[in-house]
Amino acid sequence: MTASPAPLTPAVLNILLSLADQERHGYGIMQEVQKMTGEQVLMGPGTLYGTLKRMLEAGLIEESEERPDLALDDERRRYYRITPTGRFALAEEIQRMQHLVAAAQAKRIPNPGQP
Amino acid sequence: MENPASQTHIQRSERWYACVLSLYPKAHQAVYKQPMLQLFHDLNREAAQRSGMQGLKKIWRRTALDLLISLPVEYLDLIAKGDPMNNRPKLLNIIILTGIPLWLGLVILAVNPHFIGKLFEPSAAQPWGWVMVGAALICCLAAFFVQRKASFMVTPSGAAPVGKKALLVSSTLFLVLPAILLVLLGPAVMLVLLR
């Protein structure tokens, strides 16, 4: 059995989640992350592209050559998609979080807003 | 929308961001400058459409925080992995990146009356703070030119004819000078703090 990988940073987790269903460009990733987190996570361009660079190096994502529709899209945009390694890392992280949630529920930790 | 942003404001904002992007390491700029500009352009337009000038201000507050976080991260990355854009010795990068916080620390000490009271507060009567700020600025500018010269003159084989000189000047500007000032200032600061 291989050792479980280190926990993902919040930025990496959010980006992987945003790419789980389709490939996106930087702005698309940012919008999806904002939507998923209810605007709780607002990444700037520096953080986003720095994280994407390190994720590319780690093989979690890859650049996509495909363009959904060149007529509608800017050629300068770079599209990214999740790799099998990225999908595996994401699944591991979600499982880790599920274990944490189960442990918190077992300890009867209330949800915020609940008495 | 109370205060709509004009096209000029939006374009000016994007031009400023393009300038700010040149602070990132060259290797990072080579790959990500265009997509980052494109992303900022998208964010800017959306914010201006949604909330006018307030939106642009919000984007800049967010961008300033983003720069504070991502710039050091990219430079640390550069130290760890080396700079693929030129053969500048890693040691030079380390010296400069160690020196910048030292100088910044000194400047903060020099201008912050909370730490050193009236002793080094910049004023006409006590010019030490201004001297320090001026010295830091001159050193940063000098080091910037040394850097440019060093990176131009490094040979493709990696042997740097001016490497040693650049290392000497950089370490003097960025490590020796601030270290001397810290040694000189340290006891004074401690005395004032203990007073």
Side-chain angles (χ1 to χ4, degrees):
Chain A
M1 200 176 104
T2 54
S4 188
L8 303 177
T9 64
V12 172
L13 174 64
N14 281 316
I15 293 173
L16 283 179
L17 255 180
S18 73
L19 294 174
D21 55 346
Q22 66 175 87
E23 52 193 65
R24 294 176 200 275
H25 51 66
Y27 186 52
I29 294 173
M30 202 177 259
Q31 283 182 314
E32 180 65 11
V33 169
Q34 275 178 227
K35 201 174 99 186
M36 283 184 322
T37 60
E39 305 216 342
Q40 293 284 307
V41 176
L42 301 169
M43 274 186 278
T47 309
L48 178 75
Y49 278 100
T51 311
L52 286 174
K53 181 173 82 176
R54 281 173 276 284
M55 289 170 77
L56 281 166
E57 287 164 0
L60 297 173
I61 56 168
E62 60 191 4
E63 250 187 79
S64 164
E65 294 300 318
E66 289 163 32
R67 289 285 181 272
D69 186 350
L70 269 181
L72 294 173
D73 204 42
D74 194 315
E75 215 176 316
R76 288 173 301 179
R77 291 187 196 277
R78 286 162 178 260
Y79 278 78
Y80 300 94
R81 67 170 160 241
I82 194 166
T83 60
T85 314
R87 212 168 275 283
F88 177 75
L90 179 63
E92 287 266 313
E93 187 66 21
I94 301 289
Q95 199 180 29
R96 197 190 331 264
M97 289 173 126
Q98 280 169 341
H99 284 311
L100 268 177
V101 171
Q105 281 169 342
K107 289 178 187 284
R108 297 183 184 194
I109 308 246
N111 287 333
Q114 276 184 355
Chain B
M1 199 189 299
E2 281 180 8
N3 192 359
S6 69
Q7 199 63 22
T8 320
H9 286 127
I10 297 172
Q11 282 170 355
R12 195 178 296 156
S13 168
E14 287 171 17
R15 271 203 303 273
W16 273 105
Y17 189 64
C19 294
V20 164
L21 281 184
S22 49
L23 293 173
Y24 282 92
K26 283 205 164 48
H28 188 78
Q29 282 184 52
V31 186
Y32 295 106
K33 188 171 180 176
Q34 277 310 315
M36 282 167 84
L37 269 175
Q38 178 65 48
L39 178 55
F40 187 79
H41 167 87
D42 292 334
L43 289 171
N44 230 11
R45 305 268 151 169
E46 188 199 331
Q49 254 179 11
R50 216 197 274 181
S51 17
M53 283 302 286
Q54 283 305 317
L56 288 190
K57 282 180 190 167
K58 203 173 155 191
I59 287 293
W60 268 101
R61 278 198 295 274
R62 185 170 152 188
T63 304
L65 187 67
D66 179 56
L67 284 168
L68 277 177
I69 297 166
S70 64
L71 270 175
V73 169
E74 292 311 324
Y75 276 98
L76 287 173
D77 209 41
L78 189 77
I79 291 178
K81 293 173 189 160
D83 188 353
M85 294 296 281
N86 62 44
N87 294 321
R88 184 190 300 158
K90 255 190 200 179
L91 188 59
L92 199 62
N93 284 333
I94 295 171
I95 288 172
I96 287 164
L97 291 170
T98 318
I100 288 170
L102 270 178
W103 272 115
L104 280 178
L106 276 168
V107 170
I108 290 167
L109 271 181
V111 296
N112 194 331
H114 172 74
F115 285 118
I116 43 178
K118 296 289 173 193
L119 191 60
F120 294 106
E121 188 186 2
S123 69
Q126 299 284 351
W128 287 108
W130 291 124
V131 170
M132 201 83 81
V133 175
L137 282 176
I138 289 166
C139 284
C140 287
L141 277 174
F144 174 74
F145 287 115
V146 170
Q147 280 277 293
R148 286 192 73 86
K149 201 170 160 101
S151 57
F152 284 136
M153 293 182 75
V154 169
T155 62
S157 64
V162 293
K164 277 185 186 168
K165 207 190 280 179
L167 279 177
L168 189 72
V169 176
S170 295
S171 38
T172 309
L173 291 175
F174 277 104
L175 296 180
V176 179
L177 266 177
I180 292 172
L181 286 171
L182 270 180
V183 168
L184 290 175
L185 274 179
V189 172
M190 288 307 290
L191 276 176
V192 174
L193 284 178
L194 294 173
R195 213 182 268 167

